[in-house]
Amino acid sequence: MLADGLLRCPDCAGPLSRWGHVARRFVRTSTEVVEKIRLRRTICPLTDDSGCGRTHVLLPAFLLGRRLDVVEVIWSALRACVDGLGWRRLAALVGRPASTVLGWVGRARVRAGLIRDRFAWLEHLLVAADGDDMARVAPTGSGLGDAVAQIGVCLAALRRARPVALAAMSVARTVAVLSGGWLLGTRALRPVLPGLST
């Protein structure tokens, strides 16, 4: 997609170009194997009619920004937390230190309103394009529960609108892609621009 000019800058929607790689980073898989990978860096070149000159790192769908673990592990912990598991059982379920799991859950709770609003907005874009109404999400009694419920409703709308898009991608990876990789980050979730590849 990058070589074909299909990836767009999240800041100005200009076309992205290759700009080398960043330093290798560690990634811990679901089987606790630690690997090193190199991520592609891109630039939005300054031209007369577009471009902002900013560089961006492309995250693969299996990663979240600034997180060591793959998104499937993090998402399973968040889902289990919403289902009522305590932190000790969460840590045992995903095979990670309690401090790591508590960090994920704490960050998700802090950002729950932002996450819920982002996925409600994405659902609105999907159903408005098809002329449908948004689904009602029943309050769960917790901010994180409401955010996870809204993610589920958004993914259901995406599955109805674009069934081929979800055929080969796990729920966790779809959530990572739709959040721009910053589901648990410190950055704001950027709005998806029409025609923008996330």
Side-chain angles (χ1 to χ4, degrees), residues 51-92:
C52 62
R54 292 184 137 186
T55 62
H56 304 280
V57 176
L58 300 180
L59 281 175
F62 60 87
L63 290 179
L64 292 175
R66 304 197 186 280
R67 300 291 163 182
L68 171 66
D69 292 286
V70 294
V71 70
E72 285 84 1
V73 174
I74 296 169
W75 180 248
S76 65
L78 295 179
R79 286 290 321 234
C81 177
V82 168
D83 290 342
L85 260 62
W87 64 269
R88 285 186 182 98
R89 290 177 62 197
L90 284 175

PDB file of all heavy atoms in Angstrom, residues 51-92:
ATOM      1  N   GLY A  51       1.213  17.996   1.721  1.00  0.00           N
ATOM      2  CA  GLY A  51       2.307  17.499   2.549  1.00  0.00           C
ATOM      3  C   GLY A  51       2.606  18.399   3.718  1.00  0.00           C
ATOM      4  O   GLY A  51       2.470  19.617   3.640  1.00  0.00           O
ATOM      5  N   CYS A  52       3.009  17.770   4.826  1.00  0.00           N
ATOM      6  CA  CYS A  52       3.314  18.529   6.036  1.00  0.00           C
ATOM      7  C   CYS A  52       4.747  18.321   6.515  1.00  0.00           C
ATOM      8  O   CYS A  52       5.194  18.991   7.439  1.00  0.00           O
ATOM      9  CB  CYS A  52       2.326  18.163   7.144  1.00  0.00           C
ATOM     10  SG  CYS A  52       2.369  16.436   7.655  1.00  0.00           S
ATOM     11  N   GLY A  53       5.478  17.374   5.908  1.00  0.00           N
ATOM     12  CA  GLY A  53       6.861  17.140   6.283  1.00  0.00           C
ATOM     13  C   GLY A  53       7.044  16.301   7.531  1.00  0.00           C
ATOM     14  O   GLY A  53       8.175  16.086   7.971  1.00  0.00           O
ATOM     15  N   ARG A  54       5.971  15.802   8.124  1.00  0.00           N
ATOM     16  CA  ARG A  54       6.084  14.995   9.338  1.00  0.00           C
ATOM     17  C   ARG A  54       6.410  13.549   8.995  1.00  0.00           C
ATOM     18  O   ARG A  54       6.016  13.041   7.956  1.00  0.00           O
ATOM     19  CB  ARG A  54       4.783  15.028  10.119  1.00  0.00           C
ATOM     20  CG  ARG A  54       4.504  16.378  10.700  1.00  0.00           C
ATOM     21  CD  ARG A  54       3.276  16.325  11.534  1.00  0.00           C
ATOM     22  NE  ARG A  54       3.558  17.080  12.745  1.00  0.00           N
ATOM     23  CZ  ARG A  54       2.740  17.158  13.759  1.00  0.00           C
ATOM     24  NH1 ARG A  54       1.608  16.513  13.735  1.00  0.00           N
ATOM     25  NH2 ARG A  54       3.055  17.871  14.806  1.00  0.00           N
ATOM     26  N   THR A  55       7.102  12.882   9.936  1.00  0.00           N
ATOM     27  CA  THR A  55       7.386  11.457   9.763  1.00  0.00           C
ATOM     28  C   THR A  55       6.445  10.659  10.657  1.00  0.00           C
ATOM     29  O   THR A  55       5.974  11.158  11.685  1.00  0.00           O
ATOM     30  CB  THR A  55       8.847  11.128  10.120  1.00  0.00           C
ATOM     31  OG1 THR A  55       9.077  11.438  11.490  1.00  0.00           O
ATOM     32  CG2 THR A  55       9.811  11.888   9.225  1.00  0.00           C
ATOM     33  N   HIS A  56       6.183   9.431  10.245  1.00  0.00           N
ATOM     34  CA  HIS A  56       5.289   8.541  10.972  1.00  0.00           C
ATOM     35  C   HIS A  56       5.869   7.133  10.940  1.00  0.00           C
ATOM     36  O   HIS A  56       6.533   6.755   9.976  1.00  0.00           O
ATOM     37  CB  HIS A  56       3.901   8.516  10.330  1.00  0.00           C
ATOM     38  CG  HIS A  56       3.284   9.867  10.205  1.00  0.00           C
ATOM     39  ND1 HIS A  56       2.668  10.513  11.242  1.00  0.00           N
ATOM     40  CD2 HIS A  56       3.214  10.716   9.148  1.00  0.00           C
ATOM     41  CE1 HIS A  56       2.242  11.679  10.839  1.00  0.00           C
ATOM     42  NE2 HIS A  56       2.561  11.832   9.565  1.00  0.00           N
ATOM     43  N   VAL A  57       5.602   6.365  11.983  1.00  0.00           N
ATOM     44  CA  VAL A  57       6.014   4.965  12.041  1.00  0.00           C
ATOM     45  C   VAL A  57       4.777   4.125  11.787  1.00  0.00           C
ATOM     46  O   VAL A  57       3.727   4.340  12.394  1.00  0.00           O
ATOM     47  CB  VAL A  57       6.638   4.621  13.410  1.00  0.00           C
ATOM     48  CG1 VAL A  57       6.957   3.146  13.493  1.00  0.00           C
ATOM     49  CG2 VAL A  57       7.878   5.461  13.646  1.00  0.00           C
ATOM     50  N   LEU A  58       4.889   3.161  10.884  1.00  0.00           N
ATOM     51  CA  LEU A  58       3.774   2.278  10.570  1.00  0.00           C
ATOM     52  C   LEU A  58       3.761   1.104  11.541  1.00  0.00           C
ATOM     53  O   LEU A  58       4.716   0.343  11.613  1.00  0.00           O
ATOM     54  CB  LEU A  58       3.884   1.759   9.134  1.00  0.00           C
ATOM     55  CG  LEU A  58       3.885   2.814   8.034  1.00  0.00           C
ATOM     56  CD1 LEU A  58       3.999   2.139   6.670  1.00  0.00           C
ATOM     57  CD2 LEU A  58       2.643   3.676   8.107  1.00  0.00           C
ATOM     58  N   LEU A  59       2.685   0.987  12.294  1.00  0.00           N
ATOM     59  CA  LEU A  59       2.533  -0.136  13.223  1.00  0.00           C
ATOM     60  C   LEU A  59       1.809  -1.273  12.517  1.00  0.00           C
ATOM     61  O   LEU A  59       0.783  -1.053  11.884  1.00  0.00           O
ATOM     62  CB  LEU A  59       1.688   0.285  14.428  1.00  0.00           C
ATOM     63  CG  LEU A  59       2.355   1.089  15.511  1.00  0.00           C
ATOM     64  CD1 LEU A  59       1.324   1.515  16.550  1.00  0.00           C
ATOM     65  CD2 LEU A  59       3.452   0.289  16.177  1.00  0.00           C
ATOM     66  N   PRO A  60       2.312  -2.489  12.632  1.00  0.00           N
ATOM     67  CA  PRO A  60       1.547  -3.616  12.099  1.00  0.00           C
ATOM     68  C   PRO A  60       0.278  -3.806  12.935  1.00  0.00           C
ATOM     69  O   PRO A  60       0.207  -3.356  14.082  1.00  0.00           O
ATOM     70  CB  PRO A  60       2.497  -4.802  12.238  1.00  0.00           C
ATOM     71  CG  PRO A  60       3.544  -4.376  13.193  1.00  0.00           C
ATOM     72  CD  PRO A  60       3.589  -2.883  13.205  1.00  0.00           C
ATOM     73  N   ALA A  61      -0.707  -4.473  12.382  1.00  0.00           N
ATOM     74  CA  ALA A  61      -1.995  -4.640  13.054  1.00  0.00           C
ATOM     75  C   ALA A  61      -1.888  -5.405  14.368  1.00  0.00           C
ATOM     76  O   ALA A  61      -2.762  -5.289  15.214  1.00  0.00           O
ATOM     77  CB  ALA A  61      -2.975  -5.347  12.121  1.00  0.00           C
ATOM     78  N   PHE A  62      -0.815  -6.146  14.579  1.00  0.00           N
ATOM     79  CA  PHE A  62      -0.707  -6.937  15.812  1.00  0.00           C
ATOM     80  C   PHE A  62      -0.077  -6.171  16.971  1.00  0.00           C
ATOM     81  O   PHE A  62       0.106  -6.711  18.050  1.00  0.00           O
ATOM     82  CB  PHE A  62       0.047  -8.252  15.574  1.00  0.00           C
ATOM     83  CG  PHE A  62       1.461  -8.099  15.086  1.00  0.00           C
ATOM     84  CD1 PHE A  62       2.515  -7.936  15.967  1.00  0.00           C
ATOM     85  CD2 PHE A  62       1.732  -8.135  13.732  1.00  0.00           C
ATOM     86  CE1 PHE A  62       3.815  -7.805  15.526  1.00  0.00           C
ATOM     87  CE2 PHE A  62       3.030  -8.005  13.262  1.00  0.00           C
ATOM     88  CZ  PHE A  62       4.074  -7.833  14.166  1.00  0.00           C
ATOM     89  N   LEU A  63       0.236  -4.872  16.783  1.00  0.00           N
ATOM     90  CA  LEU A  63       0.856  -4.077  17.842  1.00  0.00           C
ATOM     91  C   LEU A  63       0.043  -2.829  18.177  1.00  0.00           C
ATOM     92  O   LEU A  63      -0.640  -2.275  17.332  1.00  0.00           O
ATOM     93  CB  LEU A  63       2.251  -3.608  17.407  1.00  0.00           C
ATOM     94  CG  LEU A  63       3.332  -4.652  17.289  1.00  0.00           C
ATOM     95  CD1 LEU A  63       4.637  -4.008  16.833  1.00  0.00           C
ATOM     96  CD2 LEU A  63       3.536  -5.369  18.611  1.00  0.00           C
ATOM     97  N   LEU A  64       0.185  -2.400  19.433  1.00  0.00           N
ATOM     98  CA  LEU A  64      -0.292  -1.095  19.858  1.00  0.00           C
ATOM     99  C   LEU A  64       0.931  -0.232  20.134  1.00  0.00           C
ATOM    100  O   LEU A  64       1.997  -0.745  20.487  1.00  0.00           O
ATOM    101  CB  LEU A  64      -1.133  -1.205  21.137  1.00  0.00           C
ATOM    102  CG  LEU A  64      -2.473  -1.915  21.006  1.00  0.00           C
ATOM    103  CD1 LEU A  64      -3.136  -2.056  22.379  1.00  0.00           C
ATOM    104  CD2 LEU A  64      -3.389  -1.183  20.052  1.00  0.00           C
ATOM    105  N   GLY A  65       0.784   1.053  19.973  1.00  0.00           N
ATOM    106  CA  GLY A  65       1.902   1.962  20.199  1.00  0.00           C
ATOM    107  C   GLY A  65       2.452   1.869  21.610  1.00  0.00           C
ATOM    108  O   GLY A  65       1.703   1.860  22.583  1.00  0.00           O
ATOM    109  N   ARG A  66       3.773   1.769  21.717  1.00  0.00           N
ATOM    110  CA  ARG A  66       4.504   1.749  22.979  1.00  0.00           C
ATOM    111  C   ARG A  66       4.113   0.603  23.913  1.00  0.00           C
ATOM    112  O   ARG A  66       4.176   0.727  25.136  1.00  0.00           O
ATOM    113  CB  ARG A  66       4.372   3.079  23.690  1.00  0.00           C
ATOM    114  CG  ARG A  66       4.838   4.236  22.832  1.00  0.00           C
ATOM    115  CD  ARG A  66       5.089   5.472  23.643  1.00  0.00           C
ATOM    116  NE  ARG A  66       5.398   6.598  22.808  1.00  0.00           N
ATOM    117  CZ  ARG A  66       6.569   6.850  22.255  1.00  0.00           C
ATOM    118  NH1 ARG A  66       7.568   6.041  22.449  1.00  0.00           N
ATOM    119  NH2 ARG A  66       6.755   7.922  21.511  1.00  0.00           N
ATOM    120  N   ARG A  67       3.701  -0.520  23.352  1.00  0.00           N
ATOM    121  CA  ARG A  67       3.372  -1.707  24.146  1.00  0.00           C
ATOM    122  C   ARG A  67       4.236  -2.863  23.689  1.00  0.00           C
ATOM    123  O   ARG A  67       4.419  -3.081  22.494  1.00  0.00           O
ATOM    124  CB  ARG A  67       1.896  -2.089  23.999  1.00  0.00           C
ATOM    125  CG  ARG A  67       0.939  -1.023  24.444  1.00  0.00           C
ATOM    126  CD  ARG A  67       0.990  -0.832  25.940  1.00  0.00           C
ATOM    127  NE  ARG A  67       0.369   0.446  26.290  1.00  0.00           N
ATOM    128  CZ  ARG A  67       0.295   0.911  27.512  1.00  0.00           C
ATOM    129  NH1 ARG A  67       0.798   0.235  28.509  1.00  0.00           N
ATOM    130  NH2 ARG A  67      -0.274   2.064  27.742  1.00  0.00           N
ATOM    131  N   LEU A  68       4.741  -3.627  24.648  1.00  0.00           N
ATOM    132  CA  LEU A  68       5.602  -4.765  24.354  1.00  0.00           C
ATOM    133  C   LEU A  68       4.809  -5.966  23.844  1.00  0.00           C
ATOM    134  O   LEU A  68       5.260  -6.678  22.955  1.00  0.00           O
ATOM    135  CB  LEU A  68       6.369  -5.158  25.637  1.00  0.00           C
ATOM    136  CG  LEU A  68       7.174  -6.449  25.620  1.00  0.00           C
ATOM    137  CD1 LEU A  68       8.343  -6.335  24.645  1.00  0.00           C
ATOM    138  CD2 LEU A  68       7.681  -6.765  27.022  1.00  0.00           C
ATOM    139  N   ASP A  69       3.618  -6.167  24.388  1.00  0.00           N
ATOM    140  CA  ASP A  69       2.834  -7.361  24.071  1.00  0.00           C
ATOM    141  C   ASP A  69       1.969  -7.158  22.837  1.00  0.00           C
ATOM    142  O   ASP A  69       1.526  -6.045  22.535  1.00  0.00           O
ATOM    143  CB  ASP A  69       1.960  -7.724  25.270  1.00  0.00           C
ATOM    144  CG  ASP A  69       2.800  -8.187  26.434  1.00  0.00           C
ATOM    145  OD1 ASP A  69       3.306  -9.315  26.367  1.00  0.00           O
ATOM    146  OD2 ASP A  69       2.977  -7.414  27.394  1.00  0.00           O
ATOM    147  N   VAL A  70       1.687  -8.265  22.159  1.00  0.00           N
ATOM    148  CA  VAL A  70       0.819  -8.215  20.985  1.00  0.00           C
ATOM    149  C   VAL A  70      -0.603  -7.878  21.423  1.00  0.00           C
ATOM    150  O   VAL A  70      -1.003  -8.137  22.560  1.00  0.00           O
ATOM    151  CB  VAL A  70       0.863  -9.532  20.182  1.00  0.00           C
ATOM    152  CG1 VAL A  70       2.232  -9.756  19.564  1.00  0.00           C
ATOM    153  CG2 VAL A  70       0.440 -10.709  21.027  1.00  0.00           C
ATOM    154  N   VAL A  71      -1.368  -7.316  20.516  1.00  0.00           N
ATOM    155  CA  VAL A  71      -2.697  -6.806  20.846  1.00  0.00           C
ATOM    156  C   VAL A  71      -3.662  -7.913  21.260  1.00  0.00           C
ATOM    157  O   VAL A  71      -4.555  -7.670  22.075  1.00  0.00           O
ATOM    158  CB  VAL A  71      -3.260  -5.953  19.686  1.00  0.00           C
ATOM    159  CG1 VAL A  71      -3.600  -6.809  18.486  1.00  0.00           C
ATOM    160  CG2 VAL A  71      -4.459  -5.146  20.133  1.00  0.00           C
ATOM    161  N   GLU A  72      -3.516  -9.134  20.758  1.00  0.00           N
ATOM    162  CA  GLU A  72      -4.414 -10.214  21.147  1.00  0.00           C
ATOM    163  C   GLU A  72      -4.351 -10.483  22.653  1.00  0.00           C
ATOM    164  O   GLU A  72      -5.372 -10.747  23.283  1.00  0.00           O
ATOM    165  CB  GLU A  72      -4.096 -11.507  20.377  1.00  0.00           C
ATOM    166  CG  GLU A  72      -4.559 -11.504  18.945  1.00  0.00           C
ATOM    167  CD  GLU A  72      -3.583 -10.847  17.984  1.00  0.00           C
ATOM    168  OE1 GLU A  72      -2.507 -10.390  18.422  1.00  0.00           O
ATOM    169  OE2 GLU A  72      -3.899 -10.783  16.785  1.00  0.00           O
ATOM    170  N   VAL A  73      -3.154 -10.413  23.235  1.00  0.00           N
ATOM    171  CA  VAL A  73      -2.983 -10.635  24.672  1.00  0.00           C
ATOM    172  C   VAL A  73      -3.632  -9.500  25.460  1.00  0.00           C
ATOM    173  O   VAL A  73      -4.370  -9.729  26.425  1.00  0.00           O
ATOM    174  CB  VAL A  73      -1.485 -10.768  25.024  1.00  0.00           C
ATOM    175  CG1 VAL A  73      -1.279 -10.839  26.521  1.00  0.00           C
ATOM    176  CG2 VAL A  73      -0.888 -11.987  24.344  1.00  0.00           C
ATOM    177  N   ILE A  74      -3.391  -8.271  25.036  1.00  0.00           N
ATOM    178  CA  ILE A  74      -3.944  -7.106  25.730  1.00  0.00           C
ATOM    179  C   ILE A  74      -5.464  -7.102  25.632  1.00  0.00           C
ATOM    180  O   ILE A  74      -6.167  -6.879  26.632  1.00  0.00           O
ATOM    181  CB  ILE A  74      -3.342  -5.808  25.152  1.00  0.00           C
ATOM    182  CG1 ILE A  74      -1.836  -5.776  25.413  1.00  0.00           C
ATOM    183  CG2 ILE A  74      -4.033  -4.583  25.725  1.00  0.00           C
ATOM    184  CD1 ILE A  74      -1.087  -4.683  24.675  1.00  0.00           C
ATOM    185  N   TRP A  75      -6.000  -7.356  24.447  1.00  0.00           N
ATOM    186  CA  TRP A  75      -7.446  -7.341  24.250  1.00  0.00           C
ATOM    187  C   TRP A  75      -8.118  -8.443  25.079  1.00  0.00           C
ATOM    188  O   TRP A  75      -9.187  -8.212  25.664  1.00  0.00           O
ATOM    189  CB  TRP A  75      -7.782  -7.483  22.772  1.00  0.00           C
ATOM    190  CG  TRP A  75      -9.256  -7.475  22.490  1.00  0.00           C
ATOM    191  CD1 TRP A  75     -10.004  -8.516  22.032  1.00  0.00           C
ATOM    192  CD2 TRP A  75     -10.160  -6.379  22.663  1.00  0.00           C
ATOM    193  NE1 TRP A  75     -11.317  -8.132  21.905  1.00  0.00           N
ATOM    194  CE2 TRP A  75     -11.439  -6.816  22.288  1.00  0.00           C
ATOM    195  CE3 TRP A  75     -10.007  -5.075  23.101  1.00  0.00           C
ATOM    196  CZ2 TRP A  75     -12.563  -6.007  22.332  1.00  0.00           C
ATOM    197  CZ3 TRP A  75     -11.128  -4.255  23.152  1.00  0.00           C
ATOM    198  CH2 TRP A  75     -12.381  -4.730  22.767  1.00  0.00           C
ATOM    199  N   SER A  76      -7.505  -9.623  25.159  1.00  0.00           N
ATOM    200  CA  SER A  76      -8.118 -10.695  25.953  1.00  0.00           C
ATOM    201  C   SER A  76      -8.164 -10.308  27.435  1.00  0.00           C
ATOM    202  O   SER A  76      -9.138 -10.624  28.129  1.00  0.00           O
ATOM    203  CB  SER A  76      -7.392 -12.026  25.748  1.00  0.00           C
ATOM    204  OG  SER A  76      -6.073 -11.957  26.226  1.00  0.00           O
ATOM    205  N   ALA A  77      -7.162  -9.596  27.924  1.00  0.00           N
ATOM    206  CA  ALA A  77      -7.167  -9.138  29.317  1.00  0.00           C
ATOM    207  C   ALA A  77      -8.258  -8.088  29.539  1.00  0.00           C
ATOM    208  O   ALA A  77      -8.966  -8.127  30.560  1.00  0.00           O
ATOM    209  CB  ALA A  77      -5.808  -8.574  29.699  1.00  0.00           C
ATOM    210  N   LEU A  78      -8.415  -7.166  28.605  1.00  0.00           N
ATOM    211  CA  LEU A  78      -9.446  -6.134  28.749  1.00  0.00           C
ATOM    212  C   LEU A  78     -10.845  -6.753  28.716  1.00  0.00           C
ATOM    213  O   LEU A  78     -11.717  -6.385  29.508  1.00  0.00           O
ATOM    214  CB  LEU A  78      -9.304  -5.075  27.660  1.00  0.00           C
ATOM    215  CG  LEU A  78      -8.024  -4.241  27.700  1.00  0.00           C
ATOM    216  CD1 LEU A  78      -8.012  -3.244  26.550  1.00  0.00           C
ATOM    217  CD2 LEU A  78      -7.847  -3.542  29.035  1.00  0.00           C
ATOM    218  N   ARG A  79     -11.068  -7.694  27.810  1.00  0.00           N
ATOM    219  CA  ARG A  79     -12.372  -8.363  27.716  1.00  0.00           C
ATOM    220  C   ARG A  79     -12.660  -9.136  29.009  1.00  0.00           C
ATOM    221  O   ARG A  79     -13.770  -9.109  29.518  1.00  0.00           O
ATOM    222  CB  ARG A  79     -12.392  -9.335  26.535  1.00  0.00           C
ATOM    223  CG  ARG A  79     -12.491  -8.727  25.180  1.00  0.00           C
ATOM    224  CD  ARG A  79     -13.847  -8.127  24.957  1.00  0.00           C
ATOM    225  NE  ARG A  79     -14.856  -8.974  25.552  1.00  0.00           N
ATOM    226  CZ  ARG A  79     -15.904  -9.463  24.952  1.00  0.00           C
ATOM    227  NH1 ARG A  79     -16.108  -9.164  23.711  1.00  0.00           N
ATOM    228  NH2 ARG A  79     -16.765 -10.224  25.578  1.00  0.00           N
ATOM    229  N   ALA A  80     -11.671  -9.853  29.512  1.00  0.00           N
ATOM    230  CA  ALA A  80     -11.863 -10.636  30.733  1.00  0.00           C
ATOM    231  C   ALA A  80     -12.109  -9.721  31.931  1.00  0.00           C
ATOM    232  O   ALA A  80     -12.896 -10.061  32.824  1.00  0.00           O
ATOM    233  CB  ALA A  80     -10.656 -11.528  30.978  1.00  0.00           C
ATOM    234  N   CYS A  81     -11.486  -8.564  31.967  1.00  0.00           N
ATOM    235  CA  CYS A  81     -11.718  -7.595  33.041  1.00  0.00           C
ATOM    236  C   CYS A  81     -13.168  -7.122  33.020  1.00  0.00           C
ATOM    237  O   CYS A  81     -13.826  -7.052  34.058  1.00  0.00           O
ATOM    238  CB  CYS A  81     -10.764  -6.418  32.888  1.00  0.00           C
ATOM    239  SG  CYS A  81     -11.035  -5.119  34.121  1.00  0.00           S
ATOM    240  N   VAL A  82     -13.676  -6.817  31.839  1.00  0.00           N
ATOM    241  CA  VAL A  82     -15.070  -6.394  31.704  1.00  0.00           C
ATOM    242  C   VAL A  82     -16.015  -7.525  32.122  1.00  0.00           C
ATOM    243  O   VAL A  82     -17.071  -7.276  32.696  1.00  0.00           O
ATOM    244  CB  VAL A  82     -15.354  -5.936  30.255  1.00  0.00           C
ATOM    245  CG1 VAL A  82     -16.835  -5.759  30.000  1.00  0.00           C
ATOM    246  CG2 VAL A  82     -14.600  -4.650  29.963  1.00  0.00           C
ATOM    247  N   ASP A  83     -15.598  -8.766  31.875  1.00  0.00           N
ATOM    248  CA  ASP A  83     -16.413  -9.922  32.258  1.00  0.00           C
ATOM    249  C   ASP A  83     -16.350 -10.219  33.757  1.00  0.00           C
ATOM    250  O   ASP A  83     -17.007 -11.144  34.229  1.00  0.00           O
ATOM    251  CB  ASP A  83     -15.985 -11.162  31.470  1.00  0.00           C
ATOM    252  CG  ASP A  83     -16.355 -11.057  30.002  1.00  0.00           C
ATOM    253  OD1 ASP A  83     -17.223 -10.227  29.661  1.00  0.00           O
ATOM    254  OD2 ASP A  83     -15.759 -11.794  29.195  1.00  0.00           O
ATOM    255  N   GLY A  84     -15.519  -9.469  34.506  1.00  0.00           N
ATOM    256  CA  GLY A  84     -15.518  -9.584  35.955  1.00  0.00           C
ATOM    257  C   GLY A  84     -14.320 -10.265  36.586  1.00  0.00           C
ATOM    258  O   GLY A  84     -14.296 -10.455  37.805  1.00  0.00           O
ATOM    259  N   LEU A  85     -13.314 -10.654  35.825  1.00  0.00           N
ATOM    260  CA  LEU A  85     -12.139 -11.278  36.419  1.00  0.00           C
ATOM    261  C   LEU A  85     -11.332 -10.251  37.214  1.00  0.00           C
ATOM    262  O   LEU A  85     -11.165  -9.111  36.777  1.00  0.00           O
ATOM    263  CB  LEU A  85     -11.250 -11.888  35.331  1.00  0.00           C
ATOM    264  CG  LEU A  85     -11.361 -13.400  35.113  1.00  0.00           C
ATOM    265  CD1 LEU A  85     -12.749 -13.763  34.678  1.00  0.00           C
ATOM    266  CD2 LEU A  85     -10.346 -13.866  34.136  1.00  0.00           C
ATOM    267  N   GLY A  86     -10.812 -10.661  38.353  1.00  0.00           N
ATOM    268  CA  GLY A  86      -9.940  -9.819  39.153  1.00  0.00           C
ATOM    269  C   GLY A  86      -8.535  -9.813  38.588  1.00  0.00           C
ATOM    270  O   GLY A  86      -8.184 -10.613  37.714  1.00  0.00           O
ATOM    271  N   TRP A  87      -7.694  -8.946  39.122  1.00  0.00           N
ATOM    272  CA  TRP A  87      -6.372  -8.761  38.519  1.00  0.00           C
ATOM    273  C   TRP A  87      -5.481  -9.991  38.642  1.00  0.00           C
ATOM    274  O   TRP A  87      -4.679 -10.260  37.763  1.00  0.00           O
ATOM    275  CB  TRP A  87      -5.691  -7.510  39.055  1.00  0.00           C
ATOM    276  CG  TRP A  87      -5.378  -7.516  40.521  1.00  0.00           C
ATOM    277  CD1 TRP A  87      -6.166  -7.064  41.523  1.00  0.00           C
ATOM    278  CD2 TRP A  87      -4.183  -7.998  41.125  1.00  0.00           C
ATOM    279  NE1 TRP A  87      -5.552  -7.248  42.738  1.00  0.00           N
ATOM    280  CE2 TRP A  87      -4.313  -7.803  42.518  1.00  0.00           C
ATOM    281  CE3 TRP A  87      -3.014  -8.576  40.646  1.00  0.00           C
ATOM    282  CZ2 TRP A  87      -3.331  -8.163  43.422  1.00  0.00           C
ATOM    283  CZ3 TRP A  87      -2.029  -8.928  41.558  1.00  0.00           C
ATOM    284  CH2 TRP A  87      -2.194  -8.722  42.917  1.00  0.00           C
ATOM    285  N   ARG A  88      -5.602 -10.756  39.703  1.00  0.00           N
ATOM    286  CA  ARG A  88      -4.784 -11.971  39.819  1.00  0.00           C
ATOM    287  C   ARG A  88      -5.160 -12.992  38.747  1.00  0.00           C
ATOM    288  O   ARG A  88      -4.300 -13.599  38.119  1.00  0.00           O
ATOM    289  CB  ARG A  88      -4.944 -12.586  41.209  1.00  0.00           C
ATOM    290  CG  ARG A  88      -4.216 -11.845  42.291  1.00  0.00           C
ATOM    291  CD  ARG A  88      -4.295 -12.604  43.615  1.00  0.00           C
ATOM    292  NE  ARG A  88      -3.629 -11.872  44.658  1.00  0.00           N
ATOM    293  CZ  ARG A  88      -4.251 -11.096  45.543  1.00  0.00           C
ATOM    294  NH1 ARG A  88      -5.562 -10.976  45.524  1.00  0.00           N
ATOM    295  NH2 ARG A  88      -3.566 -10.457  46.468  1.00  0.00           N
ATOM    296  N   ARG A  89      -6.447 -13.181  38.555  1.00  0.00           N
ATOM    297  CA  ARG A  89      -6.908 -14.127  37.531  1.00  0.00           C
ATOM    298  C   ARG A  89      -6.601 -13.600  36.129  1.00  0.00           C
ATOM    299  O   ARG A  89      -6.317 -14.385  35.224  1.00  0.00           O
ATOM    300  CB  ARG A  89      -8.397 -14.402  37.717  1.00  0.00           C
ATOM    301  CG  ARG A  89      -8.633 -15.214  38.991  1.00  0.00           C
ATOM    302  CD  ARG A  89     -10.088 -15.460  39.289  1.00  0.00           C
ATOM    303  NE  ARG A  89     -10.720 -16.245  38.238  1.00  0.00           N
ATOM    304  CZ  ARG A  89     -12.035 -16.321  38.089  1.00  0.00           C
ATOM    305  NH1 ARG A  89     -12.845 -15.684  38.908  1.00  0.00           N
ATOM    306  NH2 ARG A  89     -12.551 -17.044  37.111  1.00  0.00           N
ATOM    307  N   LEU A  90      -6.674 -12.282  35.946  1.00  0.00           N
ATOM    308  CA  LEU A  90      -6.305 -11.700  34.649  1.00  0.00           C
ATOM    309  C   LEU A  90      -4.844 -11.990  34.327  1.00  0.00           C
ATOM    310  O   LEU A  90      -4.512 -12.395  33.212  1.00  0.00           O
ATOM    311  CB  LEU A  90      -6.517 -10.187  34.643  1.00  0.00           C
ATOM    312  CG  LEU A  90      -7.923  -9.662  34.518  1.00  0.00           C
ATOM    313  CD1 LEU A  90      -7.928  -8.146  34.648  1.00  0.00           C
ATOM    314  CD2 LEU A  90      -8.537 -10.077  33.205  1.00  0.00           C
ATOM    315  N   ALA A  91      -3.982 -11.753  35.307  1.00  0.00           N
ATOM    316  CA  ALA A  91      -2.549 -11.984  35.099  1.00  0.00           C
ATOM    317  C   ALA A  91      -2.278 -13.453  34.781  1.00  0.00           C
ATOM    318  O   ALA A  91      -1.481 -13.773  33.893  1.00  0.00           O
ATOM    319  CB  ALA A  91      -1.757 -11.546  36.331  1.00  0.00           C
ATOM    320  N   ALA A  92      -2.961 -14.348  35.474  1.00  0.00           N
ATOM    321  CA  ALA A  92      -2.784 -15.790  35.205  1.00  0.00           C
ATOM    322  C   ALA A  92      -3.331 -16.159  33.831  1.00  0.00           C
ATOM    323  O   ALA A  92      -2.732 -16.962  33.109  1.00  0.00           O
ATOM    324  CB  ALA A  92      -3.478 -16.607  36.292  1.00  0.00           C
TER     325      ALA A  92
END
